[in-house]
Amino acid sequence: MSVLARVFEENGIATVTIAMVREHAERVKPPRALFVPFFFGFALGKPNDAKYQRQVLTEAFDMLKSPEGPVLVDFPDDSAPTAMPQASQVDSASAPETRSAADEVTAMRAFYERWVENNGGRTAVGLSGIPQRRFRGVVRFLESCAEGDEQADMSERPDGVTRHQFIRYCADDLKAFLYEARMEQQRDADEESLHRWFWGSTACGKLIAEVAARLNESDNSALKAIAYGLAR
């Protein structure tokens, strides 16, 4: 979409892009982009919250006042009380100490597969390109990253995708997998309880928070941007 935005602008049509991955917007440099630090699939923020979504759209359309670009603006995530809980806002004291993240993935697999079946094959899992039945390998990769192993990698990482971008894709796939499995397991769960369950009660949530903390130790602003997006 960022590439298409430039084509439209060249033909006299002003555009605004909502970017879910800040580093992509920095690289592609669309004429105007609003970076939103939301979970993938929630480009306008919290579902069914018209007031908050209007705020996101207003912030985006206000960028049309900028006649020249590229312009990249960060959405002020803490500007509304309806923002979804993040890892740092959830008490992780109840996170399991005995079950590993890999075993947790295995335990939740049947719920995830039932979710996909009941939803016509639709799923948010797929960014990394790794099939969910091989997510134990994704967990091992992220565990190595959390331990600070800068050589940790996976042979499945696509050409043209940096290692740190791939960390983001793996973490988002793991989050989507657990969220969808939980929605099948507990169908009456609301969005806030899902977030609090993931960050406060799962080994995978604890692992991703540890990866984010490790990346955030870097002086590299690009790595800090990835860390910022991970634990959300």
Side-chain angles (χ1 to χ4, degrees), residues 93-115:
S94 60
E97 298 295 337
T98 55
R99 176 188 286 179
S100 71
D103 288 344
E104 188 170 73
V105 166
T106 299
M108 297 298 284
R109 179 172 293 150
F111 292 107
Y112 168 77
E113 292 178 346
R114 196 180 308 157
W115 163 269

Side-chain angles (χ1 to χ4, degrees), residues 55-194:
Q55 185 176 344
V56 176
L57 289 172
T58 298
E59 192 82 19
F61 288 136
D62 279 349
M63 296 182 68
L64 292 173
K65 299 174 183 177
S66 302
E68 298 179 359
V71 178
L72 177 59
V73 173
D74 292 337
F75 179 74
D77 177 58
D78 58 353
S79 62
T82 53
M84 294 175 284
Q86 303 167 29
S88 60
Q89 299 170 321
V90 177
D91 180 7
S92 61
S94 60
E97 298 295 337
T98 55
R99 176 188 286 179
S100 71
D103 288 344
E104 188 170 73
V105 166
T106 299
M108 297 298 284
R109 179 172 293 150
F111 292 107
Y112 168 77
E113 292 178 346
R114 196 180 308 157
W115 163 269
V116 174
E117 180 181 356
N118 291 338
N119 286 274
R122 292 188 298 274
T123 178
V125 173
L127 277 174
S128 68
I130 299 176
Q132 59 88 9
R133 283 189 167 266
R134 287 160 56 196
F135 273 12
R136 291 180 71 95
V138 169
V139 167
R140 288 193 295 272
F141 168 58
L142 293 177
E143 286 173 339
S144 296
C145 294
E147 292 168 0
D149 183 356
E150 296 185 0
Q151 303 303 313
D153 206 341
M154 296 187 71
S155 60
E156 294 89 346
R157 177 163 62 88
D159 294 337
V161 175
T162 68
R163 175 179 173 273
H164 293 107
Q165 287 174 323
F166 190 62
I167 291 173
R168 170 71 183 263
Y169 296 162
C170 287
D172 280 316
D173 264 358
L174 199 57
K175 283 191 281 188
F177 173 90
L178 265 293
Y179 274 82
E180 292 177 0
R182 181 63 168 179
M183 286 188 288
E184 179 63 31
Q185 183 186 45
Q186 190 169 327
R187 297 191 179 189
D188 59 348
D190 60 23
E191 186 181 5
E192 182 171 347
S193 67
L194 286 169

Side-chain angles (χ1 to χ4, degrees), residues 16 18 34-36 38 42-46 49-62 75-76 79:
V16 175
I18 292 181
L34 176 68
F35 167 65
V36 291
F38 306 140
F42 295 91
L44 298 182
K46 189 174 181 179
D49 189 333
K51 183 178 180 180
Y52 192 68
Q53 292 177 358
R54 182 183 293 274
Q55 185 176 344
V56 176
L57 289 172
T58 298
E59 192 82 19
F61 288 136
D62 279 349
F75 179 74
S79 62

